[in-house]
Amino acid sequence: MNIMGENEMENPKDLKYTKEHEWIKVENDIGTVGITDFAQDALTDVVFVELPKIGKKVERFKTAATIESVKSVSDIFAPVSGEIAEVNQQLAEHPEFVNKDPYGDGWIFKIKMTDKTEIDKLMSSEEYIKIAKEE
Amino acid sequence: MKLIFEKSSAGRKAVELPKLDVPEKSDLIPTNMLRNELSLPELSEIDVVRHYTELSRKNFGVDNGFYPLGSCTMKYNPKINEDISRLPGFTSIHPLTSIGLNQGALQLMYELEKDLCEITGMSRFTLQPAAGSHGELVGVMIIKKYFEVKNENRTKILIPDSAHGTNPASAALCEFETVEIKSNNEGCVDMEDLKNHMGKDVAGLMLTNPNTLGLSDKNILRIAKVLHDNGSLFYCDGANANAVVGVVRIAEMGFDIVHLNLHKTFSTPHGIGGPGSGPVGVVDSLVDFLPVPLVEEKNGDYSLDYNLKNSIGQVRSFYGNFSVLVRAYTYIKSLGAEGIRQIAENAVLNANYMMSKLKKHFDLPYDIVCKHEFVLSDKGMPNHITTMDIAKRLLDYGYHAPTIYFPLIVHGSIMIEPTETESKQTMDEFIDVMIKIKKEASDNPDLLRNAPSTTPVKRLDAVLAARKPVLKYEE
Amino acid sequence: MDYIPNTESEKKEMLKEIGVNDTLDLFKDIDKKLILKEPLKISGKLSEIDVRKKIEGISKKNKIMKNFLGAGCYSHFIPSVVDHLISRSEFYTAYTPYQPEISQGALQSIFEFQTYICKLTGMDVANASMYDGSTALAEAAFMAHSITGKNKIIIPKTIHPEYRKVVETYCGMHNINCVEIDYNNGTIDIENLKNEIDDNTAAVLVQNPNFFGCIEDIDEIEKFAREKKALLVACVVEAASLGILKPQNADIVVGDIQSFGIPLSFGGPASGFMAVKKEHMRKMPGRLVGQTVDADGKKGFILTLQAREQHVRREKATSNICTNSALMALASIVYLSMLGKQLKDLANINLQKSHYAFEKLKQNFEILFSSIFFNEFVIKCNDSGKLISKMQENNIVPGLDLGKYYSELKNHLLVCVTEMHSKEDIDNFVELMKE
C-alpha cells in the first residue's frame, strides 16, 4: 500500500469532507457519500460494507453504515442529516471498489438532505488534507 | 488434502450397529416429519482414522514444540490429568441422578472450589462457566445484580485501553456503558484518568493484573481504594494468574470478583479452541449473587444448593465442564502448595530471562521487570520487516509464533509468554533463532516476507476468505 | 510432581543474566505486604502413584448405573476410534488456530464440523461451536433481538428447564422479555402460542424433540412466527434425532452434540452448535472457518469474518465468546464420520426400542401424553421417590422425576431408551418397575 503524502493524496476539490474521513458530493438536494483515499488506505482491503436500508433516516455525524476489513470494523458517519435515497449495491459483490476508486465506483450511499446549510459546516479539501496529515 | 466428505464411497460402513432385537413397527412418526435424505459420507474405519491422523499431523500443539503465545499460558498438559479424567467413575455418571450416586463428583468439585478459594483468597467460587469469557460475563452479571439489589443506578464500567476485547464485550452484553481508561507511560492504569472518571454512576473497573503487557500494576491497592471509596466493585480478569498463584492472593490485591482460566493457569488442554473452564470467585459480600447451584458439604455428605438469595441464575446447563474440572483438580493435587508457588516463580523467572536477552536485539517498549510475559515490537526492524513477517518466519523454524498485534496499545506488538514448563535450553534455542531472524531481516528480508515456506500451506489469503466466504463443503 | 524442567543451577544462571539475586526480586513491583509468607493450605506435592490412588478413590464413590435417563444428557454408543483420535496431542494440546499455516488440521476439522452441522440441520452456515446447547440457545435469543430489534422471546415450557433458566438469565441482563407458554398433551399449546405471539415478538424458541421426548409440529408453529415476522429458533438437545427427523425451516438452529460421541461426564463438557440462514450470517456469534487459497494457490482454511468477534468489535460485539468447545466438536465429527448414513439406522433403533418399552410399561403405568415421541416418554407412577429408590437398589435409574422441574408433574418419570439398552435390559427393567 502506498503511504499517501500531502502531495500525492487524491482528494477532489469539489467535494466536502468530515473529520471522520467521509466525503460528500452535493447535487441539488442529494449528497453522495463515500470514504476518502486516506481512510481506505488505513483500513487496508475492504471485505464488506454493511449498507443502510433505503428510506432510513440518518442524523448528521451519527452512524449510517459500517465497513469491514479483515481485522477491523469502522463506522461510516452521515456527513449531513436526511434520508437514505440510494445505496451502492455493487459493493456487495465488489467491496474492493472502495479501495480502488474511493471517489468514483466506491461511493457508498446517497442522502436526500433535509438541511442544506449543514454542508457549509463541513471541511473543504484543503482543510481536510491538514487534519489527515496530523493523524 | 481432501475433506472427509470427498473420501466417501457408497456402501462403506465403519460401525456394526447392534441388530434390532425388538419387533419393528412402522408409522411411529408421520412421513411428513421424516427426513428424505441423510447426505452423510460412507467410510470405513481405516478411512476415518487415516483422515484425522493426517489432519493431526498438520497441526501444532504444545507437545510438538515451544508455544510462547502471550496471554494464553501454553504450558505442558500433564498426561496423568488425561488418564484421571477418563476414569469410568467420572465419564459414566449422569448429572441428574440422585446426588447419593454422585458423591465422588460433588466431593471433587467441592475440594476444587476450596483450593481455588485458598489460592485466590476469595470466599466462594462457581465452577459453572465454560470459558474465561463466560466467566467474565458472569462477573459482570454479578456486578449488575449487586447494584440492582442495592437500588443504585450505576451504568458505567471502566476498562483500561490495554484490555482484551472480551472485557468491553461482556460489559456491553449486560447493557453497561464502557468507558476507556488510559494507560500511563509505564503501561499501567493512569491514576489521574481513573480518578477523573469516578462518579456515582461507575459500577466497577475490570482489570487484568498483571496486565496484557505482562506488567503488575504498582498502584493496585490504591486503585482498589479509589473504587471502594466510590462504592464501586473491582473485577479481576484472571487470565494472567500464572504470574501470581501461590505468591500473591488476588483477593488481597483488593479485587472483589475474579475469573480464572483453568485451561491456562491450571494446565487443562486448550483443545484447538476449547473446551475450557472459567470459574468465578467472589468475596463474602457477593456470594449470594453467584450462579446456582453451589456444592455444599455437611458431615461428609455433599449436596447441591440452589438457595442463593440473589443468585443471577444459571449460566449453562448442569454444573460445569466437569471433565475439565477433574483435570484441574488432578493438577492441583499433583503440585501441592509448593508446586503451585513454583508455577508463578518460574513463569516470572523464565519471562524475565527471555526479556533480558531479547531486549538487546528487539525493541522493548516497557523496559521494566515483567511478570510472566513481556511485549516486544517491530520498531526499528530493517527493510520494513513487520511483526507478521517475524511471526511467519518463526513457523519455518518449527515454533508457534508468539501473540501478535495484541495488546492494541503497542504498535506491532509481539507478546511472549514462555510459561514455567519450558527449560532454559528451549528458551535459549528460541532466542538464538529470533536473533538469526533479525539478521535475516537485514541480509535477506525476502526469507521473512515469503515465510512460512516449510509449512503445509503458505500465507493464506484472508481477504478472499472474508470477501467471498466459503464456510462449508458443497458437493 | 511439578513440571518444571530447570534445575537450581540453571535458575541461578538465569538470575545472573537478568541481574538479580533471587526470584523474589522479580516480584518487587508487588507491594511487600501482599507477598505470601506462608505456604498455601493445600495438601503437599504428590507423585503420580499417590495422585492416582487418591483420585481413583474419589471416582469410586460415584455409582455407575444402568440409566434409562436422558433429559439432555444421553447414553449412546461411542466408537473406540473417537477417543483415540481426539487424544492425538497435536489436536488437544493446540490452541485456537491463530497461525493458520501450522493449524490446518484444526481448521479443516472445524470446517468439516460446520459442514456436518449444515447437512444435518439444513441451514446455510454453521459456526465453530458454542459452549453447550443452553448457551447456544441464549445467544440465539440475543441474535433474534439484534436482528429484529424486538424485545420479546417466546419460550415454551417444553424446552429443557435448564436451558430455559439459562436463556432467562441471559435475557434478563439485556432487557429482553421471556414469555413462557404452556404445553398441551406434551407439545406446545398452540392456542397459548397464538395468544402470546405479537408484533413485538423477536423469536419463538422450539425444542424438537422436546424435553418430554415429544415431537412438535414445527410447520404449524412456523406459520404463526412468520405471520408476526418473528424468527423461528429450533433447538436440538437429543442430536440422535437428526438421523430421522426432517430439517426444520427455522432461521436459527442450535443444540448440543453430546449424543455424537461424548460420554455423560456429569453434564459437561459437550458442545453447542449454531447454524443460521445465509442472511443472518454476519450477526452470528462464535468463530467461523472459511476456505481460501495460499500464496501458491493451494487450498487452505483460515478463521474468517472476524470483524464480528469481540476482539475486533469490543463493546459493539453482540457476543463475547472466544474459547468454544472445538475438541468436543472434533469428537462429534469423528463419530459422524464413523456412523455416516447409519445415523438413520441408529435413530430408528432408538425409536423402536423406546416404543417397545413404552408399550410394555403402559400395562402398569398411566401414560400422560399421547403425542408422538422419539426416544423419551413420560409415565405416571404412584410414588416416584419410592420407585426410584427401589430401582437404584438394582443399579437402575428408571428416569427423571419430573417433579424436580414441573410442580404439576410430581410422580411422573421421564424415561429414555437408546440403542444401549438390549431387549433383555428393557424386559428386566419393565419387570422390576412394577410398583
Side-chain angles (χ1 to χ4, degrees):
Chain A
M1 281 291 154
N2 292 325
I3 310 298
M4 297 291 151
E6 173 192 17
N7 301 315
E8 297 158 37
M9 201 170 338
E10 235 200 82
N11 47 340
K13 294 203 178 338
D14 60 329
L15 307 179
K16 289 286 200 180
Y17 297 83
T18 68
K19 68 175 168 63
E20 294 291 346
H21 313 287
E22 290 96 13
W23 58 261
I24 181 166
K25 178 177 182 155
V26 180
E27 280 156 325
N28 298 323
D29 62 344
I30 302 284
T32 304
V33 179
I35 64 169
T36 64
D37 197 22
F38 175 89
Q40 71 74 21
D41 184 59
L43 267 177
T44 69
D45 296 286
V46 173
V47 301
F48 180 72
V49 183
E50 187 172 8
L51 296 166
K53 284 199 170 56
I54 299 198
K56 173 177 171 171
K57 301 236 183 326
V58 293
E59 239 181 272
R60 187 166 71 112
F61 301 156
K62 295 263 161 77
T63 306
T66 56
I67 188 162
E68 286 177 25
S69 66
V70 170
K71 291 282 190 219
S72 70
V73 62
S74 297
D75 290 317
I76 303 176
F77 303 98
V80 296
S81 313
E83 197 182 290
I84 301 289
E86 213 184 312
V87 297
N88 187 357
Q89 295 288 10
Q90 282 191 300
L91 296 179
E93 280 300 302
H94 297 284
E96 70 274 11
F97 284 179
V98 176
N99 297 114
K100 295 209 175 104
D101 191 10
Y103 301 104
D105 280 334
W107 70 273
I108 300 172
F109 53 81
K110 293 188 183 182
I111 303 178
K112 187 175 158 79
M113 302 189 292
T114 46
D115 179 1
K116 286 186 92 169
T117 62
E118 285 178 338
I119 286 288
D120 306 322
K121 300 182 184 139
L122 298 172
M123 289 187 266
S124 67
S125 105
E126 291 84 24
E127 289 167 324
Y128 173 69
I129 292 176
K130 241 198 244 165
I131 59 126
K133 242 183 54 168
E134 279 160 24
E135 287 222 359
Chain B
M1 187 183 149
K2 285 191 172 156
L3 291 164
I4 190 76
F5 317 101
E6 296 172 290
K7 296 180 175 177
S8 175
S9 185
R12 290 240 169 89
K13 276 201 321 205
V15 156
E16 193 67 48
L17 286 176
K19 290 223 167 2
L20 188 60
D21 53 1
V22 298
E24 182 155 15
K25 289 186 158 183
S26 53
D27 302 330
L28 291 174
I29 298 180
T31 340
N32 71 322
M33 289 185 175
L34 297 174
R35 332 182 57 104
N36 291 329
E37 59 142 354
L38 189 60
S39 68
L40 296 184
E42 294 169 276
L43 303 151
S44 53
E45 182 167 324
I46 195 172
D47 296 329
V48 177
V49 170
R50 284 201 175 138
H51 180 81
Y52 290 103
T53 301
E54 198 187 334
L55 281 182
S56 76
R57 284 154 58 94
K58 288 184 172 180
N59 222 52
F60 188 96
V62 174
D63 281 9
N64 294 96
F66 189 40
Y67 213 123
L69 202 58
S71 154
C72 299
T73 310
M74 301 301 293
K75 66 170 76 180
Y76 174 68
N77 308 137
K79 304 318 170 198
I80 179 85
N81 299 356
E82 295 306 305
D83 281 1
I84 301 280
S85 72
R86 286 168 167 81
L87 290 172
F90 291 140
T91 57
S92 307
I93 50 171
H94 193 293
L96 296 178
T97 52
S98 323
I99 52 170
L101 301 174
N102 298 321
Q103 288 293 297
L106 296 176
Q107 176 183 345
L108 188 143
M109 288 174 66
Y110 183 79
E111 290 184 9
L112 173 64
E113 192 203 324
K114 287 280 159 286
D115 287 345
L116 295 178
C117 289
E118 173 64 18
I119 292 169
T120 58
M122 291 293 170
S123 294
R124 296 282 329 236
F125 262 87
T126 170
L127 302 175
Q128 259 189 51
S133 50
H134 199 198
E136 266 177 58
L137 185 60
V138 167
V140 179
M141 286 181 177
I142 290 174
I143 294 174
K144 182 165 181 159
K145 186 107 197 241
Y146 173 78
F147 288 111
E148 260 170 30
V149 163
K150 267 188 142 213
N151 227 338
E152 284 178 34
N153 187 27
R154 295 195 184 232
T155 53
K156 296 192 175 134
I157 295 246
L158 310 179
I159 300 174
D161 54 11
S162 56
H164 194 276
T166 52
N167 291 171
S170 306
L173 286 170
C174 295
E175 299 203 305
F176 280 109
E177 185 193 329
T178 57
V179 176
E180 208 175 71
I181 299 295
K182 294 207 227 331
S183 297
N184 58 26
N185 55 11
E186 287 197 327
C188 296
V189 171
D190 183 321
M191 290 304 293
E192 279 317 301
D193 204 29
L194 175 67
K195 287 188 199 141
N196 291 337
H197 280 101
M198 292 310 285
K200 286 303 170 208
D201 55 356
V202 172
L205 171 72
M206 294 176 82
L207 187 69
T208 309
N209 196 48
N211 67 19
T212 56
L213 295 159
L215 303 170
S216 182
D217 202 317
K218 287 206 250 328
N219 290 316
I220 199 76
L221 293 173
R222 282 177 63 203
I223 295 171
K225 186 166 196 313
V226 166
L227 288 165
H228 293 145
D229 284 349
N230 193 51
S232 306
L233 291 173
F234 197 11
Y235 177 90
C236 180
D237 179 329
N240 290 337
N242 214 49
V244 295
V245 284
V247 178
V248 188
R249 284 206 173 90
I250 290 172
E252 289 172 15
M253 291 197 259
F255 289 103
D256 302 300
I257 317 173
V258 62
H259 88 262
L260 297 173
N261 300 59
L262 297 186
H263 47 292
K264 293 185 183 186
T265 319
F266 293 91
S267 87
T268 74
H270 285 83
I272 62 175
S277 177
V280 173
V282 296
V283 293
D284 242 344
S285 55
L286 296 174
V287 171
D288 274 338
F289 297 88
L290 284 169
V292 283
L294 289 181
V295 181
E296 296 299 350
E297 182 266 341
K298 193 171 177 189
N299 301 326
D301 286 326
Y302 299 91
S303 60
L304 293 167
D305 182 11
Y306 285 87
N307 294 319
L308 264 65
K309 206 161 57 137
N310 290 311
S311 170
I312 58 170
Q314 226 172 296
V315 295
R316 44 88 52 72
S317 54
F318 313 124
Y319 319 119
N321 280 352
F322 182 71
S323 50
V324 176
L325 302 177
V326 174
R327 288 175 175 84
Y329 179 79
T330 307
Y331 182 66
I332 293 172
K333 292 302 131 202
S334 302
L335 263 60
E338 199 192 321
I340 291 170
R341 183 163 175 134
Q342 282 171 318
I343 295 173
E345 286 180 353
N346 285 280
V348 169
L349 173 61
N350 283 2
N352 278 282
Y353 174 69
M354 289 191 73
M355 184 175 82
S356 304
K357 286 204 142 186
L358 284 169
K359 74 182 187 187
K360 299 175 187 152
H361 306 274
F362 293 89
D363 175 56
L364 180 71
Y366 301 93
D367 194 352
I368 323 170
V369 167
C370 64
K371 297 266 83 55
H372 65 312
E373 65 194 8
F374 60 97
V375 171
L376 302 173
S377 88
D378 57 4
K379 187 166 161 189
M381 288 297 289
N383 293 317
H384 300 295
I385 286 294
T386 64
T387 291
M388 182 68 76
D389 300 325
I390 299 169
K392 297 304 180 191
R393 188 60 180 150
L394 276 168
L395 306 184
D396 278 333
Y397 281 98
Y399 292 105
H400 192 286
T403 296
I404 52 176
Y405 300 109
F406 177 79
L408 304 169
I409 57 172
V410 170
H411 182 78
S413 60
I414 302 170
M415 198 199 305
I416 295 175
E417 179 185 359
T419 84
E420 73 284 5
T421 60
E422 297 298 336
S423 68
K424 180 173 175 295
Q425 185 184 357
T426 303
M427 292 187 282
D428 284 339
E429 282 168 4
F430 179 82
I431 290 163
D432 287 341
V433 165
M434 285 288 280
I435 296 170
K436 190 166 179 202
I437 290 177
K438 184 167 180 208
K439 190 152 192 306
E440 285 176 352
S442 282
D443 303 341
N444 197 352
D446 277 342
L447 278 175
L448 280 74
R449 290 193 198 111
N450 297 327
S453 57
T454 61
T455 49
V457 294
K458 296 197 173 154
R459 284 199 213 191
L460 293 154
D461 191 343
V463 174
L464 175 67
R467 280 187 181 159
K468 304 251 178 279
V470 173
L471 304 170
K472 63 177 176 176
Y473 170 74
E474 280 180 295
E475 271 90 1
Chain C
M1 181 66 212
D2 61 60
Y3 298 93
I4 295 167
N6 288 327
T7 61
E8 288 312 308
S9 74
E10 281 169 325
K11 292 181 201 174
K12 279 203 173 73
E13 275 181 66
M14 288 163 62
L15 287 168
K16 193 154 163 246
E17 170 68 39
I18 298 167
V20 293
N21 290 322
D22 189 76
T23 308
L24 271 184
D25 292 342
L26 300 170
F27 287 87
K28 282 207 171 118
D29 47 2
I30 297 180
D31 207 309
K32 232 203 302 229
K33 65 174 184 255
L34 293 176
I35 307 283
L36 296 175
K37 312 281 181 303
E38 296 295 320
L40 295 170
K41 291 189 191 62
I42 288 180
S43 52
K45 220 180 253 200
L46 291 176
S47 70
E48 249 193 53
I49 299 170
D50 292 325
V51 165
R52 214 179 252 281
K53 219 192 278 179
K54 179 185 170 70
I55 308 182
E56 271 175 5
I58 296 177
S59 80
K60 295 210 168 88
K61 293 182 189 175
N62 292 328
K63 305 271 165 272
I64 299 173
M65 311 287 275
K66 188 145 212 81
N67 287 325
F68 283 84
L69 168 59
C73 194
Y74 300 95
S75 299
H76 284 295
F77 159 60
I78 300 174
S80 315
V81 162
V82 175
D83 200 37
H84 280 271
L85 290 172
I86 66 168
S87 295
R88 289 192 65 90
S89 63
E90 298 94 329
F91 280 137
Y92 81 86
T93 68
Y95 190 62
T96 302
Y98 285 138
Q99 292 295 343
E101 300 87 349
I102 54 171
S103 314
Q104 289 298 294
L107 289 161
Q108 185 173 325
S109 304
I110 298 167
F111 186 81
E112 290 177 1
F113 175 76
Q114 290 169 191
T115 306
Y116 267 118
I117 296 294
C118 288
K119 281 174 178 290
L120 289 167
T121 60
M123 292 284 110
D124 298 320
V125 183
N127 71 14
S129 77
M130 311 287 287
Y131 308 136
D132 75 342
S134 72
T135 53
L137 186 60
E139 296 247 22
F142 268 21
M143 242 186 101
H145 163 70
S146 171
I147 291 169
T148 62
K150 299 197 265 185
N151 261 56
K152 180 169 164 179
I153 299 284
I154 293 196
I155 183 163
K157 286 200 184 137
T158 48
I159 290 186
H160 196 303
E162 305 244 334
Y163 281 47
R164 272 186 282 135
K165 286 190 196 146
V166 175
V167 174
E168 282 156 8
T169 299
Y170 272 63
C171 287
M173 288 291 151
H174 212 76
N175 256 324
I176 298 171
N177 186 23
C178 287
V179 174
E180 281 193 351
I181 58 173
D182 243 318
Y183 54 90
N184 182 10
N185 194 20
T187 56
I188 289 173
D189 182 334
I190 296 289
E191 280 312 304
N192 200 179
L193 172 66
K194 258 208 294 213
N195 292 334
E196 283 300 342
I197 194 171
D198 59 15
D199 293 320
N200 195 31
T201 303
V204 180
L205 313 183
V206 184
Q207 178 182 330
N208 195 30
N210 67 27
F211 184 65
F212 301 132
C214 298
I215 297 173
E216 301 278 2
D217 187 350
I218 301 280
D219 293 339
E220 176 81 13
I221 295 161
E222 193 202 336
K223 262 201 285 228
F224 291 110
R226 299 293 167 226
E227 239 174 73
K228 296 289 178 185
K229 298 211 184 352
L231 299 186
L232 181 64
V233 176
C235 181
V236 181
V237 179
E238 170 43 305
S241 66
L242 290 166
I244 206 171
L245 293 179
K246 76 167 184 201
Q248 289 135 158
N249 188 26
D251 297 284
I252 305 172
V253 181
V254 295
D256 204 302
I257 47 79
Q258 181 268 322
S259 294
F260 292 161
I262 317 283
L264 300 177
S265 322
F266 203 47
S271 173
F273 68 84
M274 180 183 278
V276 301
K277 284 201 171 128
K278 218 192 325 211
E279 62 257 37
H280 304 310
M281 175 176 78
R282 287 177 189 272
K283 284 243 144 82
M284 193 164 64
R287 295 186 175 132
L288 283 171
V289 172
Q291 188 174 307
T292 184
V293 292
D294 79 350
D296 285 346
K298 191 166 163 189
K299 184 176 88 181
F301 300 96
I302 194 171
L303 288 175
T304 191
L305 299 188
Q306 294 201 283
R308 296 161 306 119
E309 294 189 60
Q310 43 70 32
H311 60 284
V312 175
R313 292 230 175 217
R314 298 176 73 90
E315 70 279 359
K316 296 201 183 118
T318 49
S319 166
N320 72 349
I321 189 169
C322 312
T323 293
N324 41 59
S325 206
L327 195 72
M328 299 296 109
L330 175 64
S332 75
I333 63 171
V334 172
Y335 174 90
L336 288 169
S337 303
M338 291 291 286
L339 268 284
K341 287 202 194 301
Q342 291 195 92
L343 187 66
K344 181 174 176 190
D345 302 309
L346 182 105
N348 187 43
I349 294 172
N350 274 254
L351 184 70
Q352 299 297 336
K353 289 191 185 235
S354 64
H355 284 74
Y356 173 76
F358 178 77
E359 289 304 318
K360 292 208 132 189
L361 286 169
K362 235 164 73 168
Q363 320 286 338
N364 296 309
F365 296 92
E366 201 184 308
I367 296 300
L368 190 61
F369 306 130
S370 61
S371 298
I372 49 170
F373 63 92
F374 177 53
N375 65 3
E376 287 181 281
F377 55 88
V378 180
I379 59 173
K380 183 172 195 291
C381 52
N382 295 326
D383 186 340
S384 57
K386 259 208 197 126
L387 183 56
I388 291 174
S389 298
K390 172 193 171 193
M391 297 304 284
Q392 267 176 209
E393 278 161 36
N394 289 286
N395 278 344
I396 296 176
V397 175
L400 177 73
D401 184 347
L402 286 172
K404 177 183 162 79
Y405 295 122
Y406 299 85
S407 55
E408 73 277 15
L409 293 178
K410 288 198 171 66
N411 294 318
H412 286 80
L413 288 182
L414 177 66
V415 180
C416 177
V417 185
T418 70
E419 75 283 4
M420 299 302 279
H421 302 107
S422 66
K423 178 174 176 296
E424 201 185 319
D425 290 332
I426 300 171
D427 291 340
N428 182 46
F429 169 61
V430 171
E431 188 57 39
L432 288 168
M433 278 287 271
K434 301 196 163 113
E435 272 187 300

